[in-house]
Amino acid sequence: MSTTLDVSRRAAAQAQPNIALIKYWGKRDLRLNLPVVGSLSITLDTLWTRTEVRFDDALSADTMTLNGKVDAKQLKRTSACLDLLRARAGVTTRAEVISENNFPTGAGLASSASGFAAMVMAGDAALGLRLTPAEQSVLARRCSGSAARSIFGGYVEWAHGQQADGEDSVATPLLEAAAWPLSVAVAITSTAEKAIGSTEGMNRTADTSPYQQAWIDSQDADLAEARAAIAARDFERLADISEHSCLKMHALALAAKPGLLYWNAATVAAMHCVRGLRAKGLPVFFTIDAGPQLKAVCLPSAAAAVAAALREVPGVLNVVETGLGGPARLIPVADLAAA
């Protein structure tokens, strides 16, 4: 089998970040990036990553450019992801990766999820692999756990799986975005990259948090409750279980040694704001990933009021309004240049 490509091959893809309503936190296998629990998410619409992958025999090494700057920090993970695609294709050709985010990177907004989902889809197309969405999801998971979910749109569940090889740890779509439209107001409270990344935080939590086993034991029931809420289009039920899962995840991390505190003062103020709005009858709830940004999920009829209230919270720098988005998709390479 050839170890190089005969010609330069390139493709570009766009993927949206997702936010977990039933949280993923913890790995059962670090090498394969297998989660210790299943998770359930919604894919966002107006936030995106666009990535071009160009394989070229003339390159002696992989390169990575993110938001117009060479990103040496991400190059190791990028090459590891490309290696998975190269192994599928039976080639060793190096690649140039150019990626753009239209939202803060590494700040708790799932930029790695959308980034690696876009990279896998673009790399698949550039190499002509013709992978199925499930196969793309498995490869994306190997690169960044939550990227498994960003291959799909709408409501998505990622199974923790049972097999040692991880082939059954794959994301599957539950419901298309248009089938139950929701709105999300993302309260940006910091644009800085978080001090402790998710992988490091998960490992510390697994090693030191006394709540780790309780987290694992309760996850299946939480997933079943969220699935039922989505199937019934029951917003209040989904709100209750989503906030519960969010606060459990952060309690788990807070109890690590030393404790992981991903929130800032504005995050907490925004939580109180959302709780206050809900007490007044607005259909809204919050969720927060491993970072300081709060996502307020609401029915579309409440979107304007929720966004306006969050903009008044001290310390909130910006509020990004979005609906639910579709799956990752190929785009013309020219779209990346225009980003």
Side-chain angles (χ1 to χ4, degrees):
M1 184 175 290
S2 172
T3 59
T4 61
L5 296 170
D6 294 332
V7 294
S8 174
R9 297 288 298 275
R10 66 196 298 202
Q14 175 175 313
Q16 273 71 242
N18 67 79
I19 56 171
L21 302 184
I22 305 301
K23 297 298 188 186
Y24 151 56
W25 195 251
K27 301 175 190 287
R28 65 182 174 93
D29 186 303
L30 293 176
R31 184 179 65 85
L32 296 176
N33 224 13
L34 298 176
V36 73
V37 294
S39 56
L40 190 152
S41 66
I42 50 177
T43 305
L44 303 183
D45 182 22
T46 59
L47 281 65
W48 49 252
T49 299
R50 292 175 179 169
T51 299
E52 177 191 348
V53 178
R54 182 178 67 87
F55 290 93
D56 192 333
D57 293 338
L59 295 173
S60 59
D62 295 325
T63 64
M64 169 65 178
T65 303
L66 178 61
N67 296 331
K69 298 179 180 179
V70 174
D71 194 330
K73 183 178 179 181
Q74 285 293 332
L75 184 57
K76 184 177 179 180
R77 292 181 73 187
T78 296
S79 289
C81 186
L82 294 170
D83 283 344
L84 296 174
L85 292 161
R86 283 187 282 251
R88 286 286 188 112
V91 301
T92 58
T93 305
R94 301 296 102 182
E96 176 187 36
V97 176
I98 301 172
S99 193
E100 296 282 347
N101 294 325
N102 74 338
F103 61 97
T105 301
L109 286 171
S111 57
S112 64
S114 54
F116 283 106
M119 191 184 305
V120 165
M121 180 163 281
D124 172 19
L127 291 171
L129 292 172
R130 301 180 183 274
L131 299 174
T132 66
E135 289 172 326
Q136 291 175 340
S137 178
V138 168
L139 284 182
R141 182 211 77 221
R142 292 281 303 274
C143 306
S144 173
S146 54
R149 300 187 303 244
S150 277
I151 294 294
F152 303 100
Y155 302 80
V156 182
E157 183 171 352
W158 171 25
H160 64 80
Q162 302 292 337
Q163 296 174 197
D165 64 6
E167 290 303 302
D168 61 343
S169 181
V170 60
T172 55
L174 295 177
L175 190 68
E176 292 185 0
W180 190 24
L182 295 179
S183 296
V184 182
V186 183
I188 308 294
T189 66
S190 173
T191 58
E193 189 168 341
K194 57 194 180 189
I196 300 172
S198 294
T199 296
E200 180 184 348
M202 288 181 197
N203 293 342
R204 183 190 300 179
T205 300
D207 291 340
T208 64
S209 179
Y211 303 150
Q212 178 76 3
Q213 192 58 49
W215 165 254
I216 295 169
D217 292 344
S218 63
Q219 191 78 347
D220 285 347
D222 289 354
L223 285 166
E225 179 72 4
R227 268 189 241 111
I230 291 167
R233 316 297 198 270
D234 187 333
F235 184 85
E236 190 65 25
R237 191 175 180 184
L238 185 63
D240 286 345
I241 192 61
S242 297
E243 282 197 6
H244 180 59
S245 179
C246 169
L247 293 174
K248 271 201 302 184
M249 187 202 88
H250 284 278
L252 176 73
L254 283 165
K257 189 181 291 185
L260 296 159
L261 182 56
Y262 285 108
W263 303 337
N264 57 33
T267 312
V268 177
M271 292 163 67
H272 285 295
C273 174
V274 170
R275 283 280 178 92
L277 293 173
R278 194 169 167 199
K280 293 177 182 177
L282 262 69
V284 60
F285 66 88
F286 66 76
T287 190
I288 309 160
D289 294 317
Q293 329 302 354
L294 177 138
K295 297 89 174 178
V297 183
C298 61
L299 294 179
S301 59
V306 169
L310 287 172
R311 288 190 176 97
E312 296 300 315
V313 173
V316 170
L317 308 177
N318 186 27
V319 176
V320 177
E321 299 178 63
T322 180
L324 303 190
R329 58 186 175 87
L330 294 174
I331 59 173
V333 172
D335 284 6
L336 186 65

